[in-house]
Every structure is written in structure tokens, then in C-alpha cells.
Amino acid sequence: MAARKTKAKSNTSAEELRAFYKDMLLIRRFEEKAGQLYGMGLIGGFCHLYIGQEAVVVGLEAAAKDGDKRITSYRDHGHMLACGMDPNGVMAELTGREGGYSKGKGGSMHMFSKEKHFYGGHGIVAAQVPLGAGLAFSDKYKGNDNVTFAYFGDGAANQGQIYETFNMAALWKLPVIFVIENNQYAMGTSQARSTSTPDLYTRGAAFGIAGELVDGMDVLAVQAASEKATAHCRSGEGPYILEVKTYRYRGHSMSDPAKYRTREEVQKMREERDPIESVRSMLLQGNHATEEELKEIDKEIKAVVNASADFAKESPEPALSELWTDIYADEIPQEA
């Protein structure tokens, strides 16, 4: 693919661009491998891939700090990798193996990391949003300046619990960023056919919540918006809404043939707006990397992903005794 004439922001260093490129490429290659394993029957149930949306979570995580929390829906593998979770543990969980983050008992919709403050991908549409407000409330209560990223899609944006959460978050000035990952097709219905409001971020206006529309195919634009939103929340100004306009190349899940849009539409987006290719072009045009160096990065990323697949295949299935673990807290506080 020919290099695009996309210019990096003047304050974006070569190191930052390289980091964005590697982080997005890791998600892309990991998801491609997950799709292969699903086709081989090694991943069962549902499998929702993040291919095409990589700039969203990578750009948002660029403004996060230690202690910030994130919670999202079932299209969550990219979020896990972007916040630093181990690809081995993620892939092993997808394949239902003992080496997974939930010891092979949960899959993508029940994967958590206390260490990385990742509070799950949730299978019930929009259910994670009030939970995200609860996470933000805990930080408000403790008096720190941490922020919670509560991700949901354009399909979830019409759920009633979203607006109940908006109201509570605004009343209590909770440090939560509501991230609408608008990939324009929800589960298979275009936004134009399902939603009366063209700009979803304006839904917060009735509650006095500030927000903006962001180009989700541009990692630098997402980073800038994330820096603005996190500064707003950390300063005690309350919640913020980011509608990040993005695009998924695959169907809603691996079982979705995506016949509600044309191949030409998807191909046009891939050729003209791909977030990884955009950063690749910036690196080449700015003489920040050579073709050979970028090929070497791709080789390194593929090795990491292949290793995660090997780890998953070699990890045993959970023992029957695991059915009775992680049900209760290890210690129940005694009443005073």
C-alpha cells in the first residue's frame, strides 16, 4: 500500500509513533490469530474481534496513569492488550485453558485483571456502564485523581441504563469518561436506521455533561481527546463523553457474515483510513523508521502472538476442582 501524506503532530515524538504502531499492530495480529484459532475450533462460543478499531483504545490509554480503571463490553481483547495484560493469559483464556486470566472458566466476557485495573468485558449490552460509574465513585470517595474509562458501543447508546448513569455521574461529578466506540453498525443495524440523533456525544447535554466527537481512525486525534477528557475528570469537573467514530472490518462476531454492508465499503475504509497504515506512513515520511525496521517490528509482534497461541495450546484444560474456586472472597471482614 502506498504511503499516505499524513503528517504527525509537531509535538509527537518518533518514540511515541513507534509505540503507537507496535501497540496497534499487537492488537491487529493478536485478533487475526484469534480468528484463526476460532476457525480451527480451539476457541468456542462467541468471538468478537477488534480489527479496525485499534486506534481507539491505544489512543485513550496514552493518557492513562497508574490507578486508572477501564471496563468495557465483549469486544475487549484490544483493551486487555492495550492496558498491558499478558497476551499469553488472554489467549489461554479465550481457548478455555488453565493458563488464562480466569483459569479457563470465563472466556472473553469474564476476564479481569486486578493488577492492570481491567474490570472486564461484559456480555449484557450496556451493563458495564453503571458499573464503570461505580468504579469512578470509589475513586471519588477515596479522594484520589484516578479516572475510569467506561466503554460502550453505538448499539448500547440507546439503552436506558446509560442515561440513569449519566444523571448520577453528573450529580456526583464522578471522574468517569464515557467512551462511545461508534463503529456505526452495532450488532448489524446501521446507526442511521437505529438512532434518531446523528451525534451520540450530544446525549449528555441534558445532564450537563461535556463531550466531543473524535476521529477514531486517527490515534493522535484520540490521544489528544483523551488528554483533554482525563484532565477534565482529574480536576474535579465531573464526567466527560467521547464519541469515537471508528469502523470494524469484521462482522459483529465471527459468526456474522456482515451482509448489511458492501465489500467495497469495507475495502475503501481499509485502503483510505486504516489506523495502523496511517502511523506507518508517518514513520516513513518523517524518516523515523525504514521499511526494514517496520518489517522487523512486525516480525517481533508475530512472534509474540504465535507464542501466545502456543502457550494456549499447551496449557491444560482446567481441572474439575476449579469449578469450586474463586466463588467467595478469601477473607470475609468480621463485624466490629
Side-chain angles (χ1 to χ4, degrees):
M1 185 180 294
R4 298 189 187 88
K5 295 181 179 179
T6 308
K7 295 183 179 179
K9 296 180 180 179
S10 58
N11 62 344
T12 303
S13 68
E15 290 72 24
E16 284 181 300
L17 285 176
R18 279 175 173 267
F20 288 148
Y21 183 75
K22 292 180 71 173
D23 290 347
M24 289 193 292
L25 195 60
L26 172 61
I27 296 171
R28 178 73 59 89
R29 297 292 180 249
F30 184 94
E31 293 291 66
E32 289 171 348
K33 179 62 70 173
Q36 291 175 10
L37 296 183
Y38 184 90
M40 294 166 61
L42 295 175
I43 294 177
F46 294 101
C47 185
H48 305 83
L49 301 181
Y50 203 63
I51 297 174
Q53 299 185 208
E54 298 90 352
V56 178
V57 71
V58 170
L60 283 160
E61 284 288 343
K65 69 177 184 66
D66 289 343
D68 287 347
K69 302 174 176 64
R70 60 279 296 159
I71 188 168
T72 186
S73 66
Y74 37 75
R75 196 181 309 281
D76 54 2
H77 315 150
H79 303 72
M80 298 170 191
L81 298 175
C83 73
M85 290 172 65
D86 186 354
N88 286 2
V90 177
M91 193 68 85
E93 187 60 38
L94 292 179
T95 54
R97 303 304 178 97
E98 190 178 79
Y101 268 95
S102 296
K103 300 179 182 177
K105 299 186 290 184
S108 63
M109 298 185 198
H110 302 87
M111 209 179 315
F112 301 81
S113 173
K114 183 177 180 181
E115 178 189 8
K116 298 298 182 182
H117 300 288
F118 179 81
Y119 290 89
H122 294 259
I124 299 175
V125 176
Q128 73 276 14
V129 180
L131 295 177
L135 293 171
F137 179 82
S138 71
D139 287 320
K140 177 84 172 182
Y141 184 82
K142 294 171 184 174
N144 58 45
D145 69 343
N146 293 336
V147 167
T148 294
F149 296 88
Y151 294 85
F152 59 100
D154 49 301
N158 292 322
Q159 290 282 320
Q161 58 193 309
I162 298 284
Y163 304 99
E164 293 176 291
T165 304
F166 282 177
N167 186 54
M168 295 171 71
L171 275 173
W172 298 337
K173 290 188 177 296
L174 301 183
V176 54
I177 301 172
F178 296 109
V179 183
I180 306 172
E181 294 196 77
N182 185 355
N183 61 30
Q184 305 173 55
Y185 283 98
M187 191 173 176
T189 303
S190 69
Q191 183 186 340
R193 296 182 57 212
S194 65
T195 305
S196 62
T197 310
D199 294 321
L200 298 177
Y201 74 93
T202 62
R203 298 279 183 90
F207 306 95
I209 302 177
E212 62 181 294
L213 180 66
V214 187
D215 181 358
M217 306 303 277
D218 181 345
V219 69
L220 300 184
V222 179
Q223 177 195 22
S226 184
E227 290 172 351
K228 179 179 177 181
T230 52
H232 175 94
C233 291
R234 296 194 208 284
S235 65
E237 296 299 315
Y240 201 90
I241 298 174
L242 292 177
E243 180 188 350
V244 190
K245 204 72 167 287
T246 184
Y247 196 89
R248 56 173 168 76
Y249 296 161
R250 301 289 186 91
H252 173 70
S253 69
M254 286 294 293
S255 60
D256 172 22
K259 293 182 178 180
Y260 39 82
R261 60 186 183 182
T262 65
R263 291 183 180 180
E264 290 75 18
E265 177 185 311
V266 179
Q267 188 61 28
K268 180 177 174 64
M269 185 65 73
R270 277 183 175 272
E271 292 177 353
E272 299 179 5
R273 301 283 291 122
D274 187 80
I276 298 175
E277 284 298 321
S278 293
V279 174
R280 182 177 182 277
S281 295
M282 291 183 215
L283 287 167
L284 292 173
Q285 292 168 15
N287 295 318
H288 302 309
T290 65
E291 288 278 5
E292 287 304 314
E293 288 173 331
L294 295 182
K295 287 179 181 179
E296 187 60 30
I297 289 174
D298 195 10
K299 182 179 178 181
E300 292 171 2
I301 294 295
K302 285 180 178 178
V304 170
V305 171
N306 288 335
S308 75
D310 291 339
F311 175 82
K313 293 174 186 177
E314 294 166 4
S315 182
E317 294 188 358
L320 288 176
S321 59
E322 277 294 342
L323 288 171
W324 309 107
T325 63
D326 302 315
I327 297 173
Y328 302 106
D330 291 335
E331 295 183 7
I332 300 176
Q334 299 297 316
E335 293 183 5

